[in-house]
Amino acid sequence: MEIDHFSHGWLTPVVAYVMSFTGSLLGLRCMSRVRSGSPFDGWLIAASVAIGGTGIWVMHFIAMLGFRINGAAIKYDVPVTLVSAVIAMIVVWLGLCLAQQRRLGGQSLLVGGVVTGIGVGAMHYAGMYAMKTDVELGYDWATVALSLVIAVIAATAALWFTLNVRGTLATVGAALAMGVAVAGMHYTGMYAMHVGEHHQMAPSGAGAAQLLTPLIVGVSLMTVGMLFHLGLTEVGGGGGALSRRPATDNYWPTRD
């Protein structure tokens, strides 16, 4: 049996990258409007949903629509799939909060990046665990470890971008880079997989079109709504919003 990551050609990886770029861009724009150091700031939560939900989770499962094991049936465990989406959004939110912790000093970005990267890896492999098939699946653990290293590096870079990047061109460039990093982690993790013996018992769960398509469409529509709201929201006077935060005991102010 052979694994095919591109059963629909370049359609799924290209669309997956576009969604990762869109989620990253939206998250960066949301972060530029954060006005307070509160972890429950509405724009910070919106950034977490955009980056974690659209930029990471939707990217992963659009790419999975192109995944096929020739001669095997593939189903998805619905609760685990939904949990993986929650994991993606929560770890991005946690990483953004940690990256701003003043009490951690210069280590705040690294701590936030490590936590977020490991969380993104957990989301990826939870999504893979949600995939049920009638063949035995195994992983090359060296490649798994490499995918986690890529996830940590990508997460650290993404957090740096969200806290420091200002200006339209710089934001677009940062979102393009974030999309490449997320896609790189995903496909590295996917190439860690190998198949073994065929089982007689058919897998249980929902089919890809039955489960993933409605979820992806739902999150994508939410992203469009957030983009529309973002476009209608006025930004007060120049400079980065994060740089205008008051320096409190908990949060590390950034520079323009």
Side-chain angles (χ1 to χ4, degrees):
M1 290 186 181
E2 294 183 356
I3 293 176
D4 185 359
H5 296 281
F6 308 102
S7 62
H8 298 298
W10 285 100
L11 176 63
T12 48
V14 169
V15 174
Y17 175 78
V18 169
M19 291 306 298
S20 184
F21 163 76
T22 302
S24 300
L25 181 63
L26 177 58
L28 289 169
R29 296 302 301 148
C30 287
M31 284 301 295
S32 73
R33 301 187 180 198
V34 174
R35 292 295 191 272
S36 70
S38 170
F40 302 106
D41 185 290
W43 286 114
L44 187 143
I45 293 175
S48 304
V49 172
I51 297 173
T54 302
I56 297 173
W57 186 87
V58 170
M59 181 274 151
H60 172 89
F61 279 103
I62 288 180
M64 289 305 297
L65 289 174
F67 178 81
R68 179 179 299 169
I69 301 174
N70 295 325
I74 295 177
K75 301 289 184 178
Y76 288 90
D77 184 301
V78 177
V80 177
T81 300
L82 295 176
V83 166
S84 70
V86 175
I87 290 174
M89 291 181 279
I90 288 178
V91 297
V92 171
W93 170 80
L94 183 59
L96 289 171
C97 293
L98 288 171
Q100 301 173 87
Q101 287 291 322
R102 187 178 183 183
R103 67 172 63 95
L104 297 177
Q107 302 300 315
S108 58
L109 182 63
L110 179 59
V111 172
V114 170
V115 170
T116 304
I118 293 175
V120 169
M123 171 266 143
H124 172 85
Y125 290 105
M128 294 308 301
Y129 180 75
M131 186 182 72
K132 306 301 180 182
T133 181
D134 50 2
V135 297
E136 184 180 349
L137 298 177
Y139 291 90
D140 176 70
W141 294 107
T143 308
V144 170
L146 176 61
S147 71
L148 293 176
V149 171
I150 293 174
V152 169
I153 295 173
T156 304
L159 292 178
W160 187 90
F161 285 140
T162 58
L163 297 176
N164 293 279
V165 170
R166 301 293 180 269
T168 301
L169 290 178
T171 301
V172 170
L176 289 170
M178 289 166 67
V180 171
V182 172
M185 182 271 160
H186 171 82
Y187 283 106
T188 300
M190 292 303 297
Y191 276 109
M193 177 182 293
H194 57 80
V195 296
E197 298 180 356
H198 194 284
H199 300 301
Q200 296 299 320
M201 185 178 296
S204 60
Q210 178 186 358
L211 171 65
L212 300 184
T213 301
L215 289 175
I216 290 169
V217 170
V219 176
S220 299
L221 288 176
M222 181 176 64
T223 301
V224 171
M226 291 173 65
L227 282 169
F228 184 72
H229 175 67
L230 190 67
L232 293 179
T233 305
E234 295 183 357
V235 182
L242 284 174
S243 64
R244 296 193 296 274
R245 292 180 185 173
T248 67
D249 290 336
N250 295 325
Y251 293 90
W252 188 263
T254 61
R255 299 177 180 176
D256 283 325

